[in-house]
Amino acid sequence: MDNFTFIGNSDPVSIEALYKQYLESPESVDESWANFFKGFEFAQKMYPASPKASAPTEGYALNKEFDVINLINAYRTRGHLFTKTNPVRARRQYFPTLDISNFGLSKEDLNQEFGAGIELGLGKAKLKTIIEHLDLTYCHSLAVEYMYIRQPEIMSWLQRRMEKSKNIPTFKKGEKIEIFNHLKRAVGFEKFIHKRFVGQKRFSLEGAEALVPALDFCIEHGAAKGISEFVLGMPHRGRLNVLANTMQKPVEKIFTEFMGEEYDESISLGDVKYHLGYNKEITTPNGQNVYLSLLPNPSHLETVGALVEGMARARIDEVYGGDNSKLAPIVIHGDAAIAAQGIVYETIQMAQLEGYKTGGTIHIVINNQVGFTTNYTEARSSTYATDIAKVTRCPVFHVNGDDVEAVVYTVELALEYRQKFKTDVFIDLLCYRRYGHNEGDEPRFTQPLLYKEIAKHP
């Protein structure tokens, strides 16, 4: 793998620019690239055929090797555009595709073996095996954007970590049962409130219930990695479920808040319950104690992100002596809010400044694919809600919210990345909203096509 690392971490445009520079002044490029270009030119030369000479055939084969390397880099760079990450809609079409014909390859090459398979840890492998490996890694329930990161060690770590496992979760039976139990509690909580408090606003998590097992495994995995405390911030969507099932707030208190019996008459009772925060020390299944803080949040949704970072930095400095591996911030966003609100950029761009950094924040976007009533294609210019992450060159994982094991796997991967490289990391949780924005509106009036699909979705 190391033989090709310097090639795999570059894009074709950069290689072409280096080659032009080499042609003008061979001494001006790095020695490894100079040797690479010498080999490339050697492969291009057509020597006179003789009984012992097979240079044209060898040159042709070497060109094919580079075609396969280009295919591998294309999957790494653009594979996220051709995935199975959306549970209720078909993906938009992007061109050019990853079809092998776009890389100078054909069906006749599928059973040919290529040394370029070493890039994926496969060694010499058939082209069809290489494609299957790439498709599983980059184009199924999990997609990833990371090729814009400028540190080769980060790119290499992500590639090794993902391509070795093909991004396929391998949970043991006990872990699968634990995931199921978290999911069951999340679903049961929403169904009970839906029947018991008919018509009341609750900003339901239905359609995005995978958030609950994801958070629980993030906390459990984090504790095993040495994290003693998490500071969380989130919007209204799913807050009551997180309070009950992650923060372990007694459900009788939450139900009392629906009644509005504990509050002064001057407080707007309809809004109290999903603005509140909560603090709790919990014990993980492995017996480790972790302190959780979910900060209160007003209607100005993304405001809480700056508060999370400020509280996290203060706790890191005052409680943990500056050791940011002991505390991790988690900020949960809505897709429309993270793409539109200016305070998101104002906060994220400070993430690596000495006076403000907190060792990396785990950002989870509950991507309903619709704002209050607005289709995402009419709400932002960017391809993804998470494109703000590219400004600070943080990796983004797009994951199908219906594939709960993939979601949990992604959160654990993101946490490992955060602990190792101490930068922000983004998880785009592709899901949907079973009911309207706040259970008080009828989404079929404003999104009839989407909600026709959601109504049929199990």
Side-chain angles (χ1 to χ4, degrees):
M1 185 171 181
D2 291 338
N3 295 338
F4 291 103
T5 298
F6 71 100
I7 304 171
N9 288 343
S10 303
D11 63 88
V13 176
S14 300
I15 295 175
E16 185 177 2
L18 272 175
Y19 183 53
K20 290 179 180 177
Q21 181 182 337
Y22 166 81
L23 292 175
E24 294 176 4
S25 175
E27 299 80 17
S28 67
V29 301
D30 184 86
E31 183 181 0
S32 60
W33 280 109
N35 291 332
F36 172 77
F37 292 133
K38 286 177 184 177
F40 174 73
E41 290 179 339
F42 176 78
Q44 298 298 307
K45 291 181 179 179
M46 301 295 287
Y47 294 97
S50 71
K52 295 182 180 180
S54 57
T57 303
E58 291 173 2
Y60 175 80
L62 191 58
N63 283 340
K64 286 285 185 178
E65 291 283 357
F66 284 114
D67 291 337
V68 177
I69 288 175
N70 287 336
L71 176 66
I72 292 170
N73 279 326
Y75 268 91
R76 290 169 172 170
T77 306
R78 302 182 68 246
H80 60 89
L81 298 173
F82 308 99
T83 59
K84 301 174 179 66
T85 51
N86 199 318
V88 290
R89 303 195 212 213
R91 286 296 308 265
R92 285 181 282 183
Q93 298 297 305
Y94 295 94
F95 298 95
T97 67
L98 297 175
D99 189 273
I100 58 174
S101 62
N102 293 321
F103 299 89
L105 300 163
S106 65
K107 291 181 179 178
E108 288 71 30
D109 298 313
L110 288 173
N111 287 309
Q112 294 295 319
E113 290 190 333
F114 291 93
I118 196 172
E119 264 288 282
L120 302 170
L122 298 175
K124 195 170 185 179
K126 291 182 178 181
L127 178 59
K128 65 179 181 181
T129 302
I130 291 172
I131 292 171
E132 287 169 3
H133 192 98
L134 289 166
D135 191 64
L136 283 171
T137 304
Y138 293 110
C139 296
H140 273 248
S141 291
L142 175 60
V144 59
E145 295 179 276
Y146 70 103
M147 290 295 281
Y148 44 76
I149 296 174
R150 293 181 181 172
Q151 292 95 326
E153 68 274 16
I154 294 180
M155 294 175 65
S156 295
W157 184 87
L158 284 167
Q159 284 171 6
R160 288 195 304 271
R161 179 68 169 74
M162 295 187 296
E163 292 171 357
K164 183 178 180 180
S165 67
K166 294 182 281 191
N167 275 333
I168 297 174
T170 54
F171 292 111
K172 298 175 183 176
K173 183 178 179 180
E175 292 172 319
K176 292 186 177 188
I177 291 172
E178 187 180 350
I179 291 171
F180 173 75
N181 285 333
H182 285 308
L183 196 61
K184 181 177 66 175
R185 286 195 289 270
V187 172
F189 179 85
E190 296 292 354
K191 288 189 177 298
F192 177 83
I193 292 182
H194 188 63
K195 291 180 180 178
R196 179 64 181 81
F197 302 101
V198 178
Q200 285 209 39
K201 290 194 287 185
R202 70 181 192 277
F203 296 94
S204 157
L205 193 61
E206 287 175 86
E209 297 97 335
L211 176 69
V212 170
L215 283 176
D216 280 277
F217 270 78
C218 181
I219 293 165
E220 184 178 336
H221 198 54
K225 294 285 182 183
I227 296 175
S228 301
E229 181 174 349
F230 288 90
V231 179
L232 291 80
M234 69 180 297
H236 304 341
R237 178 77 48 211
R239 174 179 285 262
L240 297 180
N241 210 313
V242 169
L243 281 166
N245 290 305
T246 302
M247 303 297 298
Q248 299 179 14
K249 180 176 180 177
V251 290
E252 57 267 26
K253 284 194 174 184
I254 296 174
F255 299 152
T256 299
E257 288 156 10
F258 269 96
M259 307 291 192
E261 294 173 356
E262 288 190 356
Y263 300 99
D264 186 271
E265 290 180 3
S266 62
I267 295 177
S268 176
L269 299 180
D271 277 353
V272 168
K273 53 189 173 293
Y274 44 77
H275 288 298
L276 297 176
Y278 197 70
N279 302 313
K280 180 73 178 281
E281 184 175 72
I282 67 167
T283 302
T284 70
N286 294 328
Q288 294 160 309
N289 293 331
V290 185
Y291 190 73
L292 306 179
S293 298
L294 176 63
L295 301 191
N297 189 13
S299 290
H300 302 285
L301 302 177
E302 297 291 342
T303 303
V304 78
L307 301 179
V308 168
E309 304 303 337
M311 180 174 176
R313 178 57 187 261
R315 298 279 296 173
I316 288 167
D317 287 348
E318 298 300 323
V319 179
Y320 301 104
D323 185 356
N324 54 29
S325 67
K326 297 294 185 183
L327 183 150
I330 299 175
V331 179
I332 301 170
H333 310 262
D335 55 314
I338 191 174
Q341 290 192 242
I343 194 171
V344 177
Y345 176 79
E346 294 173 26
T347 303
I348 289 172
Q349 66 87 21
M350 300 170 76
Q352 291 302 310
L353 300 182
E354 195 59 42
Y356 299 91
K357 62 184 179 183
T358 57
T361 299
I362 298 170
H363 298 268
I364 302 176
V365 180
I366 301 178
N367 193 339
N368 301 308
Q369 308 183 61
V370 60
F372 180 21
T373 60
T374 308
N375 193 303
Y376 71 94
T377 58
E378 298 172 344
R380 64 175 185 265
S381 300
S382 61
T383 301
Y384 297 112
T386 51
D387 280 348
I388 184 70
K390 296 173 185 174
V391 176
T392 48
R393 301 181 197 91
C394 300
V396 181
F397 300 99
H398 306 277
V399 60
N400 189 320
D402 271 7
D403 189 341
V404 187
E405 289 186 22
V407 174
V408 173
Y409 166 87
T410 303
V411 168
E412 291 186 349
L413 173 58
L415 182 80
E416 289 178 24
Y417 171 89
R418 186 267 178 190
Q419 287 295 88
K420 185 171 182 64
F421 296 108
K422 297 296 191 293
T423 79
D424 288 11
V425 57
F426 290 73
I427 299 169
D428 181 17
L429 182 62
L430 270 294
C431 51
Y432 57 95
R433 199 174 65 198
R434 176 67 68 181
Y435 300 104
H437 176 67
N438 59 16
E439 293 79 39
D441 64 286
E442 176 47 75
R444 290 172 183 80
F445 293 159
T446 53
Q447 295 292 334
L449 298 179
L450 173 61
Y451 275 85
K452 184 177 180 181
E453 292 302 315
I454 290 174
K456 295 186 295 185
H457 192 70

